[in-house]
Amino acid sequence: MAGPRALLRQFPLLLPQNRRGTAYEGFVTAQGRDFHIRILLPEDLQLKNARIECSWTLKKILHRYQHILKQRLHSCPDLVSFMVELKTVLEIALKNTQDLHVARPPEYYSCLVRDLQVLGWNKVAYVDTGLTTVKLKAEDSCGRQHLITLKLNAKYPTEPPDCLVDFPVQFAISWMPQNSLLDIYQQFLAALESLKGFWDALDEIDGKTWVLEPENPSRSATARRIAVGNNVSVNVEVDPHHPNMLPECYFLGADHAVAPLREKLNNNMHLWDPEISLLQNLKDLLEIDFPSRAVLEKSDFAKDCGICYAYRLHGATPDHVCDEPRCGQPFHQACLYEWLQGLPTSRQSFNVIFGECPYCNK
């Protein structure tokens, strides 16, 4: 994970506001313009729960790209990666904003309409009234529906359109002035097939296990937090390029519950078989059967926080559990941190705080 120095090197105008690294403020630069921005991270530094505050001007420019930025918050491994993505999106947004005020020659419209006719109107999901934004729909070989959004500038087809897709990897097109929308569409289909194994693996997990997070995963989401038992779960991070290889696994729960799972994973790692599905491999290595969607309800695992009595708090679910075997009460990290800070018996070492469980006092 990239650290503060890497962030300072790439974004020298964005500075940390505290020692914990939970608040950053400054400017992001795009096309020679500086835009004020403030990023607030939760105590666990998880990007998916970050809050972004910015100037009214920047908010207006990025308004149409909010869903993309939310996806990137969930998929980027660190703040540096997200800021790179944010700057890329901002460059595209500024370019498209400028293009709206550029008069398009008659050849632009005749060429675009001709390209759409060659492609086939049945593949078009949306065209805006100014003929600057086109959304194309496609179905992969497994029947999954996908969209690609094309933002065309006034120099099309001399210059390629900007392409926005819900992918876990970057989608870069190969383009020459004689190319058309059909060429982009064919590259889009090829990219869909290259990600087939990745989506197959995650679709099986989504369909056969209880996924606690994310609740409604996008196609770009690479992680799944899967329920293993009561207040025990495993977070699996799948590599889109190598979906059949052993993913990164992180266990959440009380130590007495997750320690045996970690031990089994370490001892059985050599049994991983890329010829069978990712889910079956996880079952074999951990020597468990994941709770079935057909038998149990999600409420059997989605236990409310023992402090705020809610399951979701600012999008986060309870991810800390009391280690006392007879207790095992789950808590939101933010709730637990605030609770322990208020106890005179608690002690803190750097960014870790130790104290008594609100339920069992252990």
Side-chain angles (χ1 to χ4, degrees), residues 25-51:
E25 189 167 4
F27 298 88
V28 57
T29 304
Q31 294 197 7
R33 297 170 61 185
D34 294 332
F35 298 92
H36 181 258
I37 189 169
R38 189 163 183 249
I39 300 174
L40 302 174
L41 300 170
E43 293 297 334
D44 60 3
L45 303 181
Q46 292 291 313
L47 274 178
K48 61 183 178 182
N49 298 321
R51 191 166 84 247

Side-chain angles (χ1 to χ4, degrees), residues 83-349:
M83 288 301 300
V84 171
E85 295 274 7
L86 172 63
K87 185 171 181 176
T88 301
V89 172
L90 180 55
E91 294 274 2
I92 293 171
L94 286 170
K95 186 178 176 184
N96 289 330
T97 303
Q98 294 165 359
D99 284 341
L100 290 175
H101 306 290
V102 177
R104 285 163 162 73
E107 294 79 11
Y108 166 88
Y109 297 103
S110 59
C111 179
L112 178 58
V113 171
R114 183 178 66 249
D115 281 0
L116 290 171
Q117 288 175 335
V118 171
L119 177 65
W121 288 100
N122 61 319
K123 297 180 178 66
V124 179
Y126 168 84
V127 180
D128 71 337
T129 53
L131 294 181
T132 59
T133 301
V134 178
K135 292 184 179 182
L136 305 178
K137 56 186 177 181
E139 191 176 275
D140 63 27
S141 57
C142 291
R144 289 178 287 249
Q145 300 293 322
H146 302 271
L147 285 176
I148 179 171
T149 301
L150 309 177
K151 303 282 186 180
L152 298 102
N153 63 44
K155 294 182 180 179
Y156 176 84
T158 305
E159 292 183 3
D162 293 316
C163 304
L164 305 173
V165 292
D166 189 11
F167 281 4
V169 295
Q170 187 177 6
F171 176 64
I173 63 167
S174 173
W175 183 265
M176 298 182 71
Q178 63 266 30
N179 287 148
S180 68
L181 296 186
L182 181 60
D183 296 293
I184 293 179
Y185 192 77
Q186 289 172 343
Q187 292 177 54
F188 180 52
L189 291 177
L192 292 180
E193 288 312 300
S194 71
L195 290 166
K196 177 182 177 298
F198 169 75
W199 286 322
D200 285 347
L202 291 182
D203 281 355
E204 184 182 17
I205 290 174
D206 292 338
K208 294 183 178 179
T209 70
W210 279 115
V211 174
L212 302 179
E213 291 183 284
E215 261 194 322
N216 299 300
S218 64
R219 287 295 176 193
S220 60
T222 57
R224 295 292 190 274
R225 182 181 164 201
I226 311 169
V228 175
N230 194 13
N231 299 329
V232 181
S233 58
V234 58
N235 194 76
V236 177
E237 184 77 36
V238 183
D239 183 348
H241 298 291
H242 307 285
N244 293 328
M245 303 306 290
L246 177 64
E248 288 186 36
C249 296
Y250 174 71
F251 295 97
L252 297 100
D255 280 345
H256 71 272
V258 301
L261 293 172
R262 286 197 199 100
E263 188 176 349
K264 287 178 182 176
L265 181 65
N266 291 331
N267 292 340
N268 296 333
M269 210 174 285
H270 65 283
L271 299 176
W272 187 273
D273 183 359
E275 298 300 318
I276 62 177
S277 75
L278 186 147
L279 181 59
Q280 188 59 51
N281 267 308
L282 287 175
K283 289 180 181 179
D284 294 344
L285 266 63
L286 299 176
E287 299 175 12
I288 60 170
D289 276 323
F290 289 100
S292 169
R293 298 177 68 93
V295 178
L296 297 166
E297 296 296 324
K298 191 174 183 178
S299 57
D300 294 324
F301 313 103
K303 302 297 182 184
D304 293 342
C305 170
I307 295 174
C308 71
Y309 301 108
Y311 181 61
R312 290 202 172 269
L313 178 69
H314 306 307
T317 59
D319 57 357
H320 277 59
V321 179
C322 175
D323 283 333
E324 169 59 40
R326 289 170 293 181
C327 177
Q329 179 65 41
F331 306 98
H332 294 116
Q333 177 166 300
C335 294
L336 192 58
Y337 189 83
E338 188 176 344
W339 174 279
L340 294 176
Q341 275 190 318
L343 293 180
T345 55
S346 297
R347 62 184 178 86
Q348 188 162 352
S349 175

